[in-house]
Amino acid sequence: MDANANSNAQKAEELKVKANDAFKANKFAQAIELYSQAIELNSSNAVYWANRAFAHTKLEEYGSAVQDATKAIEIDPRYSKGYYRRGAAYLAMGKFKEALKDFQQVKKICPNDPDATRKLKECEKAVQKIRFEEAISVGDVEKCSVADSIDYHIIEVEQQYAGPRIDGEEITLDFVKAMLDEFKKQKCIHKRYAYQIVLKTLELFRLMPSLVDVNVPTGSCITVCGDVHGQYFDLLNIFELNGLPSEENPYLFNGDFVDRGSFSVEVILTLFAFKCLYPNAMYLARGNHESKSMNKIYGFEGEVRSKLGEKFVELFAEVFCWLPLAHVINNKVFIVHGGLFSVDGVKLSDIRSIDRFCEPPEEGLMCELLWSDPQPQLGRGPSKRGVALSFGADVTKKFLLENNLDLVVRSHEVKDEGYEIEHDGKLITVFSAPNYCDQMGNKGAFIRFTAPELKPDIVTFSAVPHPDVKPMAYANNFLRMFQ
C-alpha cells in the first residue's frame, strides 16, 4: 500500500470512529455523512458500508440500507453483518422472505452463534405465519364488510364499568373530554363506545372523495399536523398549546396516526372521536402506516388486539382504506402525506378520481402520494425507502403551476426542528412526533394557516413525559429484535 493510500485508510478509520460516536448519540444523519466520507476515502471496506446501512435503517431509509448492505456483501461475501443488516432492512419493509434468505446466510457463516440461531428461528416462524395467512385469505371479491357485520347497540355495558358513557347515538364533547382523561390514566373505554366511534367515523369517510377540498373562511385559521405515530401524550400537548379541535379551531392531521408509539389506540380513537364531533373541522388523511402490512410490523395490530380485541384489527384495516388521500386548502395549499409523482401532468382531478378503497399498491399515484419524498437534486431519483420515488424542486414547481397552487405541505419524515422548508420555499415537511421513538431527540411542529393569505405560521414544540411504555411495545418480539 503506497503512502497516499495508507493515509486515506487511516483518515477513513478516524471518520468511522466519529461516525460510530454520532450513531451512539442517535445523530443518525450525521453518522451517515461521516460514513460517506470514510467510504470516499476507502470504498473497499465492507464495515463502512454495513455501518452506513444500519444508520439508514434508523432513519427508515430501508431502500438505501439494502443498497449499502448489498455493497458490503459484494466486497466481502463472508461478512455476516452485511447479510444481517440487509435482512433487518428487508424485514422493516415487510419483505420477510428476502429477510429469511439473509438470516439463513448469517447462520451459515456463524453456525455456532446463538443469537443468529435464535433470530433465524423467529424469522422462519414469521414467514411460515405469513404463508399460512396467505393460504387462508379470501379474495377481495368475496370479502364482506367487517363494519356491516357489527351492531354495537347489542353490546351490553356492564354495570361495574366505571368509565365514560355515550347516551344514545350522539358523541358529545363531555364524553370525549372524559375519554381523554381515561386514556391519560392508561385505561380504555368500553368496546361498545369504541365501536360506536369507529363505525360513525367510517360512515363519514365513505362520503368523502379521495381528494378533499377544505374551505377556510377569511379571518379563520386551520392547523396542519404531521405524523403523530401513537405518541398520545404529545398529541395532548398539541391540543394544550393550540386548543382542542372545534368548529372555530379546525385541524388537519396528515397521516401516520399509528404505529411505532405504543399509545396508537388512544391516538386513533381521539382523532376519530373529534371527527365524529366536528366532521367539518377535523380532517384526516391516510399515511403509509394506515395499512395492514405496516400495522403488522410496527405495533398497531398487536396493540389493537391487546386493548380492544381481534375484531377491531379487521375493522381498523377497513376504515383506513376509506381515509382520503390528500387535501387542498382554499385552492392554494396541497396537503399530502408523502409527496409527488413519477410522471408529469398529474391533475387534482386525477387524484380525486382514485379508487382508494384498497391496501396501498406498490406503484402508481396512490403509492406515490403515501410514500414519495423530496430530494435536493432536480428531477426524479430512486427512493431511499425502497418504495415510490424522490422528486426535486422542478417537479414540485411544475405540479403547482399546472394545478394553479401555491404550496405543497407533506409529512412522512422526521425532522430535527419538526419541519423543513425546501424546494425554493414551495414545499414544507411537517412532523408532529417529537423525540420520535423515544430516541431521535427531534422537536415536533404544526403549521397554522390563516385565510385568505394562507402564509404558514410554524410552531415547534418539545416532547412531554409519558408513562413508561416503550415504543413498539406491542410489535412482534422478533421484529423488536432489530430495532
Side-chain angles (χ1 to χ4, degrees), residues 17 151 261 269 342 453:
V17 171
D151 181 2
L269 288 177
S342 55
E453 294 86 0

Side-chain angles (χ1 to χ4, degrees), residues 4-5 78 188 251 253 260 291 306 349 361 446 472 481:
N4 190 44
R78 297 286 302 165
C188 206
Y251 279 82
F253 281 85
R260 294 288 193 178
S291 68
S306 172
S349 56
F446 53 81
M472 301 278 284
M481 292 178 191

Side-chain angles (χ1 to χ4, degrees), residues 389-404:
L389 74 148
S390 296
F391 59 95
D394 52 334
V395 176
T396 299
K397 183 179 178 183
K398 192 167 186 183
F399 173 78
L400 292 172
L401 193 64
E402 288 177 341
N403 288 285
N404 197 26

Side-chain angles (χ1 to χ4, degrees), residues 124 278-279 320 346 439:
E124 285 170 339
Y278 309 116
F320 287 167
V346 176
Q439 67 171 6

Side-chain angles (χ1 to χ4, degrees), residues 14-30:
E14 289 168 4
L15 285 163
K16 183 198 82 171
V17 171
K18 288 181 182 174
N20 289 350
D21 289 341
F23 186 96
K24 286 171 193 166
N26 295 332
K27 296 177 179 176
F28 303 116
Q30 185 184 340

Side-chain angles (χ1 to χ4, degrees), residues 209-213 328 347-355:
S210 293
L211 173 67
V212 177
D213 290 297
V328 175
K347 296 290 184 3
L348 295 182
S349 56
D350 298 320
I351 301 169
R352 208 181 308 279
S353 63
I354 293 172
D355 182 3

Side-chain angles (χ1 to χ4, degrees), residues 114-128:
D115 187 52
T117 303
R118 183 168 59 94
K119 285 174 177 166
L120 175 60
K121 281 182 182 171
E122 290 292 339
C123 194
E124 285 170 339
K125 272 192 233 168
V127 171
Q128 283 168 0

